[in-house]
Amino acid sequence: MTAPMVHAQGVRKHFGKLEVLKGIDLTVERGEVCCLLGPSGSGKSTFLRCINHLEKIDGGTLAVEGELVGYRRRGARLHELREKEIAAHRRDIGMVFQRFNLFPHLTAEQNIMEAPVRVSGANTADARADARRLLKQVGLADWAGHYPAQLSGGQQQRVAIARALAMKPKLMLFDEPTSALDPELVGDVLDVMRQLAADGMTMVVVTHEIGFAREVGDTAVFMDDGVVVEAGDPRQVLVDPEQERTRAFLSKVL
Ligand code: ADP
Ligand code: MG
């Protein structure tokens, strides 16, 4: 039996006195798309950041493909991971943020080639060929030589997705990838994500795009105030939720 891609059990996180995650249980199987919804401040970004080793959890267990995040088990003991081990784990996880964070002084193609060449030691010709293929995949075949400032927000976000894919991740995390975009640019980005899901990528997507979550999500997870209020089939959770808190949230975003 293979371990789930993401397995969280009772995950806790606090910043000083503020408890942000109060025992999160969540499982994402390989090839699944899990959509995470919830009001601002409910802990969605923090949870994604924990998966990607950007925050340390304070309690519970969190594992990616059966490997604990932050710790290594040796016998009965847990040892903190070393920087190098964390870096190796993080290489398998792609992350796309609300803000595109492209390198402004590099072209679209160079942005995508950067990590494979500098981090993985790929040769430039291979990395360039890969970047071209990825640009085509995100619908930007003709934009390789353009700088971020010459691209629309939606195009920049698609380059950011291509850049994450260049490291051949097993898991993609999206944190409100369309929230900063003008409405007319949202569709192209969601289309790229939809295709990625159809190709079998495992994805955790924080989004307020209810339509996307309903169509593409295998599971929808509604979080509020650091807990999972309700989780299950998006066509149930987002259409006919059981919990009043989920219902109230949906009536605000729809
Ligand atoms: P969401 O993504 O659901 O809007 P976040 O995970 O960003 O929620 O934040 C949850 C809570 O944690 C918020 O109250 C936020 O202010 C707080 N928070 C997040 N990161 C930090 C941090 N580094 N230091 C202190 N508080 C933080
Ligand atoms: Mg957030």
Side-chain angles (χ1 to χ4, degrees), residues 115-182:
V117 171
R118 295 208 187 231
V119 181
S120 306
N123 80 54
T124 311
D126 288 348
R128 180 167 295 120
D130 233 30
R132 291 283 164 100
R133 181 182 57 75
L134 287 165
L135 280 167
K136 198 167 165 214
Q137 183 182 334
V138 301
L140 296 172
D142 297 334
W143 299 82
H146 287 69
Y147 289 87
Q150 300 170 316
L151 301 172
S152 73
Q155 290 173 324
Q156 288 183 56
Q157 192 61 304
R158 286 184 278 152
V159 174
I161 294 172
R163 184 175 62 172
L165 292 174
M167 291 299 277
K168 302 187 169 55
K170 297 174 188 166
L171 168 66
M172 285 285 287
L173 308 176
F174 293 88
D175 195 353
E176 301 199 34
T178 60
S179 296
L181 300 178
D182 292 332

Side-chain angles (χ1 to χ4, degrees), residues 40-67:
S40 177
S42 56
K44 306 178 301 293
S45 295
T46 301
F47 183 66
L48 282 194
R49 291 169 59 80
C50 288
I51 297 175
N52 202 17
H53 302 257
L54 294 169
E55 301 287 354
K56 272 199 176 139
I57 66 174
D58 300 314
T61 60
L62 179 58
V64 176
E65 280 201 310
E67 300 227 32

